[in-house]
Amino acid sequence: MKKSTAKKLKLVAGLISLLIVLTWACKGTEVSISTFIKGVPNAVQIIKVMFPPDFSIIPHLMPAILETLQVAVASIIITSLIVTPISFLAAKNTSPNYLTYRIMRTILNLLRSIPALLYALIFIAMLGLGPFPGVAGLVLHCTGALGKYFSEAIENVNPNIVESTKSTGATFTQVILFAIIPELKPLFLGYILYYFEYCIRTSTILGLVGAGGIGFELLTKIRLFQYQQTLAIIITIVAIVTVVDTISFAIRRKMIGIKK
Amino acid sequence: MIKIQGLTHKYILQDGTKVTALKDINLEIEPGEQVALIGSSGAGKSTLLRCINRLLEPMSGKVLIEGKDIICAQKKEIRQIRRKIGMIFQQYNLIQRSLAIDNVLLGRLAYLPFHRKYLYGLAFTSEDYEIALDSLAQVKLRELAFRRVDNLSGGQQQRVGIARVLAQQPKIILADEPVSNLDPKNKKEILSLISSLCQKKGITLLISMHEVELVKKYVNRVIGIKKGCIIFDGSVEELTGSEYEEIYR
């Protein structure tokens, strides 16, 4: 009896604190249902002018669409090449010493904490407008994020295979190359594909800050109030992201499937 | 072949206390001998085996392999000594997501010349592959060479483990409870396989077991370990019931 009363009290207290936090956050962001309802006619108006989408511009957009894909592909490949060796320095069990481990972990944490879009803005100041700052931004952010996943995977690698490979007389680098990397390869590829999906999604909006790709076209069309073409571009972006996500998800599932 | 003098090892627990795992072990094993190391869990069997190829750093003592002390050896010398000492593990310790042959090729790592040592996919020559396939043939697993290890049964996985050791072309095999995870039929098969391979090639075998019963047929010498000390060292016939009980009490 007493126990259930305490449980109820806990639940009520939890709900009240949730309500307080929600009110605080909504007040700061001016969230209001009435404003939303007032805006519905505007939304209807915009949707009306958006239809039918004007796909005639898509052929002209092919270079921008290709550029978006190229940004994502270049970013993920460069990231993978950088992040693999770094992760071994940032994993407790393979780092040469504690200091290197701490420094590499800190660098990865810092890299990860800044969003790719923000990096792109900074790199635009340095490299000028265009897709290159976008790639640089994606590489830095993804290196931080993938580095964390990779190094944690390395730390959790089965110590038995390290021991058995060492027992053959292999050097430590050989243990990494011939035991740890083969063991973690499916996991690493899975993470890389996952971040490739992220790169595709992000590269479609990098254009908003001037870092190349289809996002720039999207911004232009919105600014020119060409809503039918805007919708066509949005549909194209959704299509690209969906196709890439589906293919990559299928590959990832297959890799995990084989594992079992 | 193996000469151990005054070997002592202590584990340091997280709270800083030291637990003695091996206490002043003195032991000599002749070339070609097949020796069983018996004792209950935690008696120090695994610790002793791992001090011999220096996977563990003993606190003090000497371990001479063919006259060379591995305890005071340099890194490169340790690797050269380890190359001659194959180790078979209770959990097989294979790379689950690799092919059987790739696991066996690991036994060749220490033989690679410098210019191929780190060539990830191109390190091994056809000669290495031949040795690996031949090793798999010796454990009767030639036809499963290109199967992923996680698709193999426990007994087959331990055969891959033995093939990896054979690829090292070792002079000594250390087997750490190699059949503890297997069913009775596989236990017998694997033990007789290890023993006959060692006999054929004149390899010195040191095999740790929970019980002596299974291994009696194959070894000519039994060493009983209890609480880090050797309390019995003699032939199978000399191991009487009371001494056997003493080891496990």
Side-chain angles (χ1 to χ4, degrees):
Chain A
M1 198 63 185
K2 255 185 190 167
K3 218 177 178 180
S4 72
T5 325
K7 251 188 185 171
K8 271 180 199 163
L9 270 173
K10 253 188 188 170
L11 185 69
V12 172
L15 282 175
I16 290 173
S17 21
L18 183 69
L19 212 67
I20 292 171
V21 174
L22 182 66
T23 319
W24 168 77
C26 286
K27 209 156 192 182
T29 51
E30 293 168 15
V31 170
S32 108
I33 294 170
S34 61
T35 314
F36 186 80
I37 291 169
K38 267 183 222 158
V40 168
N42 292 339
V44 172
Q45 189 57 35
I46 289 177
I47 290 169
K48 257 187 196 163
V49 296
M50 276 181 157
F51 276 97
D54 178 9
F55 283 108
S56 66
I57 53 151
I58 298 302
H60 305 289
L61 293 179
M62 274 329 274
I65 292 171
L66 272 183
E67 193 177 88
T68 303
L69 288 174
Q70 284 166 331
V71 166
V73 171
S75 303
I76 199 64
I77 293 176
I78 296 170
T79 302
S80 312
L81 293 178
I82 296 174
V83 85
T84 311
I86 285 181
S87 309
F88 284 93
L89 299 176
K92 240 183 206 161
N93 51 341
T94 52
S95 194
N97 52 54
Y98 185 74
L99 190 69
T100 317
Y101 158 75
R102 281 272 35 128
I103 291 172
M104 294 319 285
R105 266 295 159 94
T106 312
I107 290 174
L108 290 178
N109 286 339
L110 287 175
L111 285 177
R112 194 174 65 249
S113 63
I114 300 169
L117 217 57
L118 197 54
Y119 278 123
L121 274 173
I122 299 165
F123 276 113
I124 284 170
M126 182 180 140
L127 307 166
L129 290 171
F132 185 28
V135 174
L138 276 171
V139 167
L140 286 193
H141 179 76
C142 292
T143 300
L146 272 180
K148 181 186 155 72
Y149 289 125
F150 276 28
S151 51
E152 276 171 7
I154 295 164
E155 282 174 1
N156 288 323
V157 80
N158 184 353
N160 285 347
I161 62 161
V162 175
E163 187 184 44
S164 61
T165 312
K166 231 165 105 179
S167 80
T168 67
T171 65
F172 194 64
T173 316
Q174 284 183 320
V175 173
I176 289 177
L177 279 174
F178 295 94
I180 300 182
I181 288 185
E183 174 81 355
L184 296 178
K185 204 162 68 182
L187 202 62
F188 280 3
L189 287 175
Y191 282 135
I192 287 172
L193 280 172
Y194 185 73
Y195 268 84
F196 177 57
E197 292 166 31
Y198 165 83
C199 284
I200 286 277
R201 287 194 298 270
T202 309
S203 68
T204 57
I205 56 162
L206 276 173
L208 298 180
V209 297
I214 197 166
F216 180 70
E217 305 292 334
L218 181 69
L219 193 66
T220 316
K221 298 301 171 200
I222 293 176
R223 291 232 171 109
L224 296 174
F225 304 110
Q226 290 168 336
Y227 287 120
Q228 291 180 336
Q229 298 182 348
T230 305
L231 183 61
I233 295 175
I234 291 173
I235 292 173
T236 312
I237 291 176
V238 171
I240 296 171
V241 172
T242 312
V243 167
V244 170
D245 276 9
T246 313
I247 295 172
S248 145
F249 180 72
I251 299 174
R252 277 194 287 135
R253 199 179 50 181
K254 207 181 163 198
M255 280 191 319
I256 297 163
I258 292 171
K259 192 180 76 186
K260 283 278 152 185
Chain B
M1 198 67 177
I2 306 174
K3 197 172 177 185
I4 298 172
Q5 292 173 336
L7 186 72
T8 299
H9 185 72
K10 288 178 179 142
Y11 285 106
I12 299 166
L13 299 181
Q14 279 187 333
D15 58 3
T17 55
K18 286 177 185 171
V19 181
T20 306
L22 292 176
K23 219 182 314 182
D24 192 29
I25 299 280
N26 293 291
L27 190 61
E28 201 162 335
I29 295 169
E30 299 300 326
E33 252 191 307
Q34 302 204 359
V35 183
L37 198 59
I38 59 166
S40 50
S41 306
K45 304 187 296 288
S46 296
T47 312
L48 177 57
L49 289 179
R50 280 167 175 72
C51 283
I52 292 174
N53 61 2
R54 212 174 147 185
L55 285 176
L56 283 175
E57 294 290 336
M59 289 280 184
S60 60
K62 280 183 177 177
V63 177
L64 300 158
I65 310 288
E66 290 188 307
K68 267 189 207 153
D69 189 356
I70 191 168
I71 304 304
C72 60
Q74 298 295 311
K75 271 187 176 178
K76 198 177 172 187
E77 291 175 289
I78 296 176
R79 291 199 298 268
Q80 271 164 358
I81 298 172
R82 274 186 191 152
R83 189 166 84 169
K84 293 184 292 191
I85 309 175
M87 195 161 191
I88 302 170
F89 300 86
Q90 184 182 353
Q91 317 278 355
Y92 328 132
N93 296 14
L94 303 171
I95 300 163
Q96 290 293 315
R97 288 151 189 169
S98 290
L99 307 175
I101 179 111
D102 290 330
N103 272 285
V104 178
L105 281 168
L106 293 179
R108 301 302 302 163
L109 283 177
Y111 286 95
L112 296 177
F114 185 77
H115 65 280
R116 281 193 279 123
K117 220 170 186 171
Y118 302 112
L119 285 181
Y120 185 58
L122 304 164
F124 301 106
T125 58
S126 56
E127 197 190 331
D128 293 314
Y129 273 91
E130 252 164 55
I131 293 172
L133 284 171
D134 180 53
S135 304
L136 279 165
Q138 290 183 57
V139 297
K140 299 177 187 72
L141 226 57
R142 173 71 178 75
E143 67 280 9
L144 296 180
F146 294 93
R147 213 45 106 69
R148 269 173 64 134
V149 165
D150 50 9
N151 292 329
L152 302 179
S153 71
Q156 289 169 333
Q157 291 199 20
Q158 192 58 292
R159 281 167 196 269
V160 176
I162 296 168
R164 176 179 61 198
V165 163
L166 291 179
Q168 275 175 254
Q169 299 170 328
K171 292 187 176 168
I172 299 168
I173 288 181
L174 307 173
D176 186 16
E177 295 195 28
V179 298
S180 292
N181 286 357
L182 298 173
D183 59 68
K185 183 171 163 277
N186 267 309
K187 271 186 178 145
K188 273 185 200 155
E189 282 180 16
I190 295 288
L191 281 176
S192 102
L193 179 67
I194 295 175
S195 176
S196 65
L197 284 168
C198 286
Q199 202 150 30
K200 208 168 71 186
K201 295 167 187 286
I203 298 170
T204 310
L205 174 67
L206 189 53
I207 183 168
S208 81
M209 295 284 293
H210 252 301
E211 291 165 87
V212 77
E213 220 39 59
L214 275 164
V215 81
K216 254 183 180 172
K217 266 201 289 199
Y218 309 110
V219 296
N220 22 47
R221 182 172 161 198
V222 175
I223 293 172
I225 279 202
K226 190 182 174 182
K227 289 181 182 163
C229 297
I230 294 177
I231 61 165
F232 177 84
D233 187 351
S235 69
V236 180
E237 293 77 32
E238 284 168 339
L239 184 68
T240 60
S242 62
E243 273 163 327
Y244 190 67
E245 263 174 44
E246 178 63 29
I247 294 169
Y248 288 99
R249 193 161 52 199

